[in-house]
Amino acid sequence: MESSSSARSEHPPQKAVDLVCPRVKSGPTRKNVNNVMSIISRRNGVFSQDAGTLLRRNMKILRQIVLQDTTNFTKVWTRHSKSPIAYETGRIYFENYRTCYSSIPSMPQFLYELPKCTKAEKLEDALLFQCPLSESLPKPSDQNPCLLALAANNWLYRFSIKSGEQMQKVFLSPHHKFRYLGWDVSQETFYIKSIQNKQTPLARQAGVDQSTLLYLAVFKVVPMELVGVLEISRRVFGSTVVDVILSQGVLAVSHSSKVKLYSFENIVQKYRTKMLVLGERCEWNGVWATVGEPPFGIPVNISISDDIPVLFEVSCFNNGIQIGGYPWHYIFTPNNKRHQGTHHICSLQDGSLAKNGIQDMNCYSLESDWIYFHPDDSGRIIHAGPSKIHVLKILHTQERCTQSEVVPEFSITVHRVNNTASKDIVTSSGRVVKRRCHQLDDDPEQETFRMVEYEDELDLLAVVEVISAEEEGKAHVCLHDNQTGMFKKKVPLVESWDVTYSHELFLDRDTIVHIEQKKSNQFYCHVYKITCRQSD
């Protein structure tokens, strides 16, 4: 299951407006004058009393600067690594989170490097904690952003994101190998998931009990408090269980052909056997030890002993279900061959299919389309394929107020100049030779959508288009208005884009970060910054 944790219009010519209404070059535009006056007022100490108003005004000015014709994105920095590279809110992490650079300055700057460690001590996963928005914390130091990092030897660390200083560490377990970090409630509650315990035929023949699939350790983030450690057992959840995640207080258990949702709060209240406090001594099975310190770690203190009520259950293909929208809806593909390639949008209240709720991109491609709830919390849906992107919204129908309807808000279509490959061939004698097969929608020799990124502060959609030219992929980033889908700007990327390897792209205010994998497990990070030139 995916929770709602990662949009494409035919672009009009950039100079079309200039041909109709030439720009007046005798003086600045009204927008530019307003921006200049705002900056001068800020310099003179004229501020709004509302910090949110000031931030919104600053982001509005920055958006106008980013989108104006005299602003370009220029590549200013490239660095490669033999290990995966991670990016999170202005921080670039190398060498398994050991080395950190800030991407905020005009040129990325080195921030810190953690001490060298052995392979058994390397950091395997991390989350960035910035600060809860809903409350003030007792210690001023708790308000500071930190990096929650999980080491291969089952230590959980809190590091300062400014200096790399170790702020706290917790030993998880001497028995269970923990591997993955994830947010339950962003910036409030997180969980750590262990590796899965595979059932082997040899163990089954020997009568060894391998009912445990994995373990979940759940924490409140700052001040760090233990909620509990939970065992996910096949004996309790069923023999077909394949994976588990925690999201928004809901325990989502994936089976081979269905997904079941449970209330994690009810599980904690009913099945937590003992309240454990990090750093305090406790008695466990006749032994006294300190919670969160070796060799004791944190024992399993949430034990489910009977059947638990299911909040929601749906049969779906490939364990894929997403919940979001307003009112609440869920998206899934039914576990039936005739429904493959379609996405069904249903009401979470009664499971009824929304009007126009079956979405089919009808694309002829090697890679499938993708659909998800818009990350701007508007309740809309982004449905993207190799040549089209649809932004949909959910409305109540006029006939029945309880029934919902999925309606298109806007679409973005890839701009393809030539499409001669799909046409029939005419010989010199005039005979028409029809093609036996259609050209793929994601054929590398034509422009294809590869990625959609949302920039929340500028309210822009960054859409990556790729085309193969001279045996290498050329990519550019098209910026679209998030509310209307209107094309605003095209940003070419200097480096080639090989579609056979993985890519990540981030638009963060005035910065574009492109992380790519190349041959022999080489990873590269390219950083683009805005540069302004004088208008003609």
Side-chain angles (χ1 to χ4, degrees):
M1 168 184 170
E2 297 180 15
S3 61
S4 65
S5 94
S6 166
R8 311 174 185 209
S9 173
E10 184 168 348
H11 335 308
Q14 285 185 267
K15 299 297 182 181
V17 176
D18 292 338
L19 295 176
V20 178
C21 181
R23 181 181 300 160
V24 178
K25 299 182 180 180
S26 58
T29 64
R30 184 175 180 179
K31 282 185 177 180
N32 289 339
V33 171
N34 291 338
N35 292 342
V36 171
M37 293 304 297
S38 296
I39 294 173
I40 291 175
S41 299
R42 186 174 60 184
R43 185 189 64 186
N44 293 336
V46 180
F47 296 99
S48 167
Q49 297 300 316
D50 183 1
T53 300
L54 179 62
L55 177 61
R56 286 192 296 271
R57 183 178 298 173
N58 290 343
M59 290 302 102
K60 186 177 180 180
I61 294 173
L62 180 59
R63 174 188 162 108
Q64 292 172 0
I65 293 173
V66 167
L67 296 180
Q68 66 187 10
D69 292 340
T70 55
T71 300
N72 298 321
F73 278 87
T74 304
K75 182 153 81 167
V76 298
W77 193 77
T78 296
R79 183 181 172 90
H80 76 277
S81 171
K82 293 182 180 180
S83 57
I85 303 169
Y87 175 81
E88 186 73 43
T89 317
R91 300 288 191 275
I92 308 172
Y93 296 97
F94 296 87
E95 302 175 70
N96 300 310
Y97 300 95
R98 281 190 55 247
T99 306
C100 178
Y101 285 79
S102 171
S103 65
I104 296 176
S106 58
M107 182 78 69
Q109 292 183 359
F110 172 80
L111 285 181
Y112 65 82
E113 183 176 13
L114 299 177
K116 290 187 177 182
C117 59
T118 64
K119 186 176 180 180
E121 299 170 322
K122 73 172 184 176
L123 303 181
E124 294 190 324
D125 203 359
L127 293 174
L128 180 64
F129 168 78
Q130 301 194 69
C131 172
L133 301 177
S134 58
E135 59 180 321
S136 297
L137 299 175
K139 295 181 181 178
S141 60
D142 289 342
Q143 301 285 155
N144 297 331
C146 66
L147 187 74
L148 300 167
L150 176 64
N153 57 1
N154 273 358
W155 279 94
L156 174 68
Y157 295 95
R158 279 205 308 130
F159 295 112
S160 166
I161 68 168
K162 295 181 179 180
S163 63
E165 176 190 359
Q166 180 183 301
M167 303 166 64
Q168 188 177 1
K169 66 176 183 177
V170 175
F171 182 66
L172 299 174
S173 173
H175 308 296
H176 322 308
K177 169 60 178 171
F178 286 92
R179 176 69 60 82
Y180 312 101
L181 284 170
W183 286 114
D184 170 21
V185 179
S186 181
Q187 307 301 311
E188 294 182 16
T189 311
F190 69 99
Y191 66 91
I192 313 174
K193 185 164 65 172
S194 74
I195 61 175
Q196 293 192 9
N197 181 23
K198 302 293 184 181
Q199 282 186 309
T200 63
L202 216 62
R204 281 197 296 267
Q205 291 177 2
V208 178
D209 182 16
Q210 289 186 315
S211 62
T212 301
L213 176 70
L214 54 84
Y215 295 88
L216 281 182
V218 185
F219 297 84
K220 292 182 179 179
V221 60
V222 174
M224 192 179 291
E225 296 178 0
L226 174 68
V227 177
V229 179
L230 168 68
E231 176 190 13
I232 304 299
S233 170
R234 297 184 181 93
R235 185 173 55 253
V236 172
F237 293 97
S239 60
T240 58
V241 60
V242 293
D243 201 6
V244 170
I245 67 166
L246 190 61
S247 178
Q248 303 299 318
V250 174
L251 184 70
V253 181
S254 298
H255 295 258
S256 53
S257 61
K258 67 177 67 174
V259 173
K260 294 182 180 181
L261 306 184
Y262 304 87
S263 169
F264 185 68
E265 181 182 0
N266 290 342
I267 291 174
V268 172
Q269 290 178 352
K270 186 175 181 180
Y271 299 106
R272 184 164 58 185
T273 57
K274 190 171 186 176
M275 186 73 179
L276 300 176
V277 180
L278 296 176
E280 292 189 3
R281 290 181 61 80
C282 76
E283 187 271 334
W284 191 269
N285 293 335
V287 178
W288 282 89
T290 302
V291 179
E293 292 188 5
F296 184 61
I298 305 173
V300 177
N301 65 333
I302 302 177
S303 299
I304 302 175
S305 55
D306 51 15
D307 293 338
I308 52 179
V310 179
L311 294 178
F312 177 79
E313 179 180 350
V314 62
S315 177
C316 56
F317 174 72
N318 202 25
N319 307 316
I321 178 175
Q322 300 177 65
I323 298 177
Y326 181 80
W328 290 100
H329 280 67
Y330 61 96
I331 305 173
F332 74 107
T333 297
N335 191 32
N336 191 307
K337 286 186 178 181
R338 64 188 181 92
H339 290 300
Q340 298 307 309
T342 66
H343 306 280
H344 291 225
I345 304 171
C346 300
S347 169
L348 190 63
Q349 182 178 4
D350 56 10
S352 61
L353 179 69
K355 185 178 180 180
N356 300 325
I358 300 179
Q359 295 293 316
D360 189 349
M361 188 63 73
N362 291 319
C363 53
Y364 185 69
S365 59
L366 294 176
E367 297 182 11
S368 61
D369 54 321
W370 63 101
I371 189 169
Y372 55 95
F373 287 99
H374 200 308
D376 67 354
D377 293 331
S378 63
R380 298 181 296 174
I381 297 170
I382 292 179
H383 186 192
S387 61
K388 291 182 181 180
I389 296 173
H390 302 307
V391 175
L392 314 168
K393 59 182 177 182
I394 302 172
L395 301 176
H396 285 296
T397 59
Q398 295 181 353
E399 299 84 10
R400 293 167 52 195
C401 61
T402 57
Q403 186 184 17
S404 56
E405 180 181 8
V406 178
V407 297
E409 189 165 62
F410 63 82
S411 295
I412 301 176
T413 305
V414 71
H415 184 199
R416 291 175 175 171
V417 179
N418 297 318
N419 197 20
T420 57
S422 62
K423 297 180 179 179
D424 298 332
I425 300 173
V426 180
T427 65
S428 58
S429 63
R431 184 169 61 92
V432 177
V433 180
K434 292 187 175 294
R435 291 183 174 270
R436 289 189 174 183
C437 59
H438 297 286
Q439 186 181 28
L440 294 175
D441 289 330
D442 57 354
D443 190 292
E445 295 184 358
Q446 57 187 355
E447 289 87 349
T448 304
F449 290 137
R450 293 290 174 179
M451 195 177 299
V452 182
E453 172 74 7
Y454 173 59
E455 214 300 327
D456 57 341
E457 293 177 300
L458 303 184
D459 202 29
L460 292 173
L461 291 172
V463 181
V464 178
E465 292 185 14
V466 179
I467 184 173
S468 179
E470 298 179 356
E471 298 185 354
E472 67 175 16
K474 291 295 183 182
H476 52 263
V477 181
C478 292
L479 304 182
H480 294 260
D481 181 80
N482 179 52
Q483 302 303 322
T484 65
M486 184 179 296
F487 171 75
K488 294 293 185 180
K489 195 184 192 72
K490 179 184 287 188
V491 179
L493 299 183
V494 177
E495 65 278 2
S496 62
W497 187 292
D498 190 339
V499 297
T500 59
Y501 293 96
S502 63
H503 296 262
E504 290 182 285
L505 186 131
F506 305 90
L507 173 62
D508 196 348
R509 295 186 177 181
D510 63 342
T511 307
I512 291 177
V513 178
H514 174 208
I515 299 174
E516 63 171 336
Q517 180 185 2
K518 289 192 173 183
K519 296 178 181 179
S520 304
N521 272 344
Q522 291 287 327
F523 297 87
Y524 285 78
C525 178
H526 312 278
V527 177
Y528 292 75
K529 286 284 185 177
I530 60 169
T531 56
C532 299
R533 57 178 173 81
Q534 291 185 351
S535 58
D536 299 333

